[in-house]
């Protein structure tokens, strides 16, 4: 650190970069400043103020700008625009920007990127544009990107970086360090050195800290670990993420079908995958498909129709159960007033159990070793909370309609429905998981169907029988 | 790699360690084998077969065993038991095992651990036990652990590792490498070297790959980056995780209130935090508190009561709305049959919008720059899907009860409720977020309350007015 830098610069938090406000949102001052610079076509200001930002900060800035401002910003900055920022924005925004640029400029920019970022940007483009861009790249780079793009979406091969450091096992630590000092084509960041045989097949890996604490004359094969967690390029990214999580990996070798080293998967990509999978689970449980915030009304509406349709069917099923007892309801209207309480409380209790179950299945915390205990526990919870709320609701209903019979009937129906809800809440996701369906997607519909049907049937059926309408 | 190792061992996937079955669950064969060894007190077998496992594998094994088997396993393995495995199990299981051990043995084991793992195990113990264990540790270790434990739960200070490598800025790369070769007390794994001034204040950091590609005579201050993302020890772990995510960090310096370096936070801890926060959001949206799978019936039942209670109140609110129209229902029982459809479909549409909103708020994708657009979009989706499903339901209802009036009334009520559901689904979480409440926790109750009340009121109210019962 040179002497003329102020001491207070030493350990500044993220807020102090000044582009975010207290809520962590791009500050309106900064946005106005950049907006004005774009309007004035003040290229120099933009280059100065935007180039110094981190790629994710540029991404946030792009998302806050208007579409035409975004395109103008990228155009004005020219070669100074950091294309990695495009990996940090919504897919729709990325496509909009990339499609506004000439393919030659994209080809130029892509060469500066790590291969995983390049693939991220190229994969959404039309095959035609992809081909045109790839054709303008140097041979080795073209081959590498083609190989990554050749693997299916959401696989390790798609997410891997093809730049890595690999050395033969008979090299010494000193040789390896000298090699790294001399080679100008090292990846931008790396945390381990791979060890390969003459056929490029993976032998092992050495973490950098291991190299640094070893003497120069030690042979690489004596400090390397055998790679127990090599990731096949065709492995699903979610499965790869689970391996990272389980074994606390920072990076892992990706190998092709002949166990040749083809790339490296790094933890930052895996963090994105973990976030994405958690998001998917949450959205699915809420009855929403793979939606993005930038989707249009039509796209969003369409993605939600299937779930609403399934719910419509179960709603009519529940309605037809009510229809069985229309004569009873006509005699005692109080039943119509109270019946949504029985169904609703059951639905809530069921969705509590279901949420716990779906999450435990996703994290693999629920398995054959504890399923029996958890099922028994949920039955206990259902009976216990069923009894508590049955008493409460029974009392209120009896007082409201001045009829102890109504109180007793709703209390009994509540206990039944809360117990069935607990049972359904755990058995339905377990069953769906067993048959290979995603419990996050479908459980909710079935659980609600069960608690509605059982809730209405138990309550109205009991009332019909008790008051002698049968 | 020595010559007598078989070639096929080079790149084995995780499945091939043989302790998991195809579903990723501990295989019953392996479990039976370990169970038998525990029963026979076959210490040697256990030491051989368990010590070779990764800490997370031992964790999975412990969770699959019965409580008395777990305690016996730890006891039989003695000093060979890897205590880091305890950081991989449920809190209840960890406590059960730790409390079964004498404090002297824990003190012994804790000394072998990285400080973050040690804190993880110690933090759940009673203060008395903590003190007794800490008293048996060497001075510096005691001081370090006490400092970590002194920071509030869920802060960076609690999760940090106090072992790190720090050098002065005027050292050369060569000096730094030599220091690492000689020092026996280096942390087990590290990916960067910190740079500090004589007052132990943080000046910057150098990634290991940077050190390795620099010449020996280069000074550290010339290759270091200034640390822009130093994490205050008191920062909430979730906020720290967001910084890691945004800036793709592998590790970050943790500093005290005087900007002195006190520890390092690493990405593997951050991945756990991200998982935990995603889990919390999911559970909260499902109406479940901070529950663990190992909780008892009583604990689980209690954690779910508040949500059920709030729902009970809104259910009675909805029931009282129905009560307003009991005379109408008595005349036309079809209304009682159909009314849950209006409320239910509205509830589903509302929870779709709410799920998208809550998630976008959590990932900070929804902010003042796009809120207006998203609100308009959701209103559009509500109207569009409202119109589609109103038509469908109206037709079915009209045919079912052979009454076109009923069809028209339910269709109108549906459009109203789906539109209100969309509006409530986005405005309620936005409002809760604005006032500082957690939208994941409370949104669902309010949204359901709104869609129930509006659904019943619109449907029954319209019918009452149309059929002239007013």
């Amino acid at each position: 650190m040179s002497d003329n830098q102020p001491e207070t610069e030493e350990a500044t938090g993220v807020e102090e970069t000044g582009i975010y406000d207290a809520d962590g949102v791009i500050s309106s001052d900064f946005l106005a400043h950049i907006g004005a610079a774009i309007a004035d076509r003040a290229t120099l200001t933009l280059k100065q103020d935007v180039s110094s930002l981190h790629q994710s900060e540029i991404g946030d800035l792009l998302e806050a700008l208007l579409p035409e401002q975004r395109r103008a910003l990228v155009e004005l900055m020219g070669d100074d625009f950091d294309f990695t920022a495009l990996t940090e924005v919504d897919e729709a925004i990325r496509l909009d920007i990339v499609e506004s640029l000439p393919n030659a400029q994209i080809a130029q920019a892509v060469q500066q990127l790590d291969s995983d970022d390049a693939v991220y940007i190229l994969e959404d483009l039309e095959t035609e544009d992809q081909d045109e861009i790839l054709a303008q790249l140097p041979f080795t780079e073209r081959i590498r990107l083609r190989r990554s793009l050749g693997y299916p979406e959401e696989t390790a091969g798609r997410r891997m970086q093809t730049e890595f450091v690999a050395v033969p096992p008979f090299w010494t630590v000193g040789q390896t360090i000298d090699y790294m000092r001399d080679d100008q084509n090292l990846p931008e960041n790396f945390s381990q050195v791979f060890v390969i045989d003459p056929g490029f097949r993976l032998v092992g890996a050495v973490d950098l800290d291991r190299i640094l604490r070893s003497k120069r004359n030690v042979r690489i094969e004596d400090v390397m670990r055998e790679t127990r967690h090599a990731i096949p390029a065709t492995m699903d990214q979610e499965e790869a993420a689970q391996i990272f999580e389980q074994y606390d990996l920072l990076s892992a070798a990706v190998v092709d079908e002949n166990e040749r080293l083809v790339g490296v998967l790094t933890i930052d990509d895996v963090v994105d995958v973990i976030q994405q999978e958690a998001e998917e689970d949450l959205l699915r449980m809420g009855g929403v498909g793979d939606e993005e915030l930038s989707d249009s009304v039509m796209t969003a509406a369409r993605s939600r129709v299937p779930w609403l349709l399934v719910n419509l069917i179960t709603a009519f099923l529940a309605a037809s159960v009510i229809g069985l007892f229309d004569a009873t309801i006509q005699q005692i209207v109080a039943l119509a007033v109270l019946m949504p309480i029985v169904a609703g409380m059951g639905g809530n209790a069921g969705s509590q159990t279901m949420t716990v179950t779906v999450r435990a299945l996703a994290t693999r915390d629920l398995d054959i070793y504890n399923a029996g205990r958890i099922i028994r526990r949920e039955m206990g919870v259902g009976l216990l909370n069923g009894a508590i709320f049955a008493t409460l609701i029974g009392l209120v209903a009896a007082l409201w309609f001045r009829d102890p019979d109504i109180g007793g009937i709703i209390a009994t129906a509540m206990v039944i429905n809360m117990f069935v809800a607990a049972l359904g809440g755990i058995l339905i996701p377990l069953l769906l998981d067993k048959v290979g369906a995603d419990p996050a997607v479908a459980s909710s519909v079935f659980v609600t169907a069960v608690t509605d049907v059982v809730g209405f049937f138990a309550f109205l059926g009991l009332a019909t029988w008790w008051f002698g309408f049968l």
Side-chain angles (χ1 to χ4, degrees), chain A:
Chain A
M1 185 168 144
S2 58
D3 288 327
N4 56 355
Q5 275 178 308
E7 283 265 297
T8 48
E9 278 290 304
E10 286 175 8
T12 55
V14 54
E15 289 78 14
E16 291 171 61
T17 60
I19 75 161
Y20 293 106
D21 66 17
D23 291 337
V25 175
I26 294 280
S27 81
S28 48
D29 284 353
F30 183 69
L31 195 65
H33 165 67
I34 296 293
I38 293 172
D40 299 345
R41 305 187 70 80
T43 316
L44 214 71
T45 312
L46 289 175
K47 285 187 179 175
Q48 227 160 44
D49 293 353
V50 177
S51 300
S52 61
L53 300 180
H54 185 269
Q55 60 189 65
S56 68
E57 295 169 336
I58 304 177
D60 287 341
L61 172 64
L62 286 173
E63 292 195 334
L65 289 171
L66 300 171
E68 57 275 17
Q69 289 181 313
R70 280 173 208 144
R71 293 189 289 259
L73 176 69
V74 176
E75 190 207 314
L76 288 169
M77 290 189 62
D79 286 351
D80 285 322
F81 179 74
D82 180 0
F83 264 66
T84 51
L86 294 183
T87 64
E88 307 270 351
V89 299
D90 240 28
E91 185 179 328
I93 296 176
R94 178 165 56 248
L95 269 178
D96 176 60
I97 293 176
V98 173
E99 283 170 356
S100 77
L101 296 173
N103 283 339
Q105 188 179 344
I106 301 172
Q108 185 65 33
V110 152
Q111 289 181 52
Q112 316 297 322
L113 300 181
D114 279 341
S115 64
D116 52 343
D117 291 333
V119 168
Y120 203 85
I121 290 172
L122 292 177
E123 66 182 356
D124 297 328
L125 298 181
E126 313 267 336
T127 324
E128 241 173 75
D129 288 322
Q130 268 185 21
D131 289 340
E132 204 181 309
I133 293 167
L134 287 172
Q136 301 181 41
L137 297 181
F139 179 73
T140 45
E141 212 144 335
R142 186 163 69 235
I143 297 296
R144 283 175 162 192
L145 292 180
R146 274 227 183 281
R147 181 160 57 191
S148 285
L149 287 166
Y151 289 110
E153 271 187 62
E154 311 216 326
T155 58
R158 268 289 176 94
R159 292 279 78 82
M160 73 185 178
Q161 189 177 317
T162 52
E163 297 88 4
F164 48 80
V165 182
V167 301
F170 50 81
W171 276 23
T172 63
V173 165
Q175 255 176 310
T176 306
I177 294 180
D178 293 341
Y179 163 71
M180 288 190 273
R181 285 206 182 118
D182 292 337
D183 189 352
Q184 297 308 311
N185 285 320
L186 291 182
E188 245 188 273
N189 292 294
F190 58 101
S191 60
Q192 57 183 349
V193 168
F194 296 104
V195 188
I196 50 172
D197 73 7
F200 234 78
R201 276 178 311 176
L202 185 68
V203 180
V206 200
D207 288 330
L208 295 190
D209 59 331
R210 201 62 208 276
I211 292 182
L212 278 167
R213 59 177 106 180
S214 302
K215 307 278 176 210
R216 278 186 68 88
N217 58 354
V218 172
R219 279 156 64 103
I220 288 291
E221 62 191 349
D222 295 327
V223 288
M224 78 174 193
R225 301 173 273 101
E226 273 178 62
T227 313
R228 285 177 63 197
H229 311 296
I231 307 229
T234 51
M235 181 183 272
D236 185 86
Q237 59 178 11
E238 188 175 3
E239 212 179 316
Q242 274 166 352
I243 294 179
F244 267 74
E245 269 185 90
Q246 170 150 29
Y247 297 104
D248 291 341
L249 307 180
L250 291 182
S251 62
V254 179
V255 293
D256 69 8
E257 63 282 10
N258 300 315
E259 293 193 348
R260 274 191 308 246
L261 181 62
V262 289
V264 52
L265 203 61
T266 52
I267 181 82
D268 56 315
D269 299 319
V270 169
V271 168
D272 293 341
V273 171
I274 292 173
Q275 282 282 29
Q276 205 179 314
E277 299 293 341
E279 176 160 345
E280 267 178 35
D281 277 357
L282 190 87
L283 291 180
R284 280 177 189 162
M285 285 194 62
V288 185
D290 288 337
E291 228 184 85
E292 295 208 46
L293 221 50
S294 54
D295 284 346
S296 67
V297 171
M298 281 299 294
T299 317
R302 200 163 36 212
S303 94
R304 301 186 198 168
V305 163
W307 172 267
L308 290 173
L309 209 57
V310 178
N311 260 286
L312 180 66
I313 297 166
T314 67
F316 270 108
L317 186 71
S320 66
V321 171
I322 301 173
L324 295 176
F325 303 101
D326 54 356
T328 311
I329 292 174
Q330 199 146 27
Q331 300 294 320
I332 313 167
V333 180
L335 299 179
V337 174
L338 291 173
M339 68 186 185
I341 297 177
V342 181
M345 292 293 291
N348 278 303
S351 89
Q352 288 179 330
T353 303
M354 182 196 74
T355 304
V356 172
T357 309
V358 167
R359 179 63 193 177
L361 282 170
T363 55
R364 296 189 181 187
D365 285 332
L366 181 58
D367 53 41
I368 47 165
Y369 299 112
N370 56 12
R373 190 179 68 75
I374 305 290
I375 293 173
R376 282 194 302 278
R377 183 188 77 164
E378 290 303 323
M379 285 164 58
V381 171
L383 280 178
L384 190 58
N385 281 348
I388 294 171
F389 285 93
T391 312
L392 254 172
I393 292 171
L395 280 173
V396 176
L399 290 172
W400 185 358
F401 294 96
R402 291 163 205 233
D403 184 343
D405 286 0
I406 293 261
I409 289 167
I410 198 171
T412 313
M414 275 295 301
V415 173
I416 294 173
N417 205 24
M418 296 273 282
F419 180 72
V420 171
L423 215 54
I426 187 157
L427 292 184
I428 289 171
L430 277 176
L431 209 74
L432 286 169
D433 187 59
K434 196 85 192 165
V435 300
D438 182 349
V441 180
S443 294
S444 191
V445 194
F446 289 115
V447 171
T448 314
V450 166
T451 54
D452 273 1
V453 167
V454 171
F456 292 135
F457 191 86
F459 181 52
L460 299 175
L462 272 171
T464 305
W465 167 75
W466 181 260
F467 292 114
F469 294 114
L470 276 183

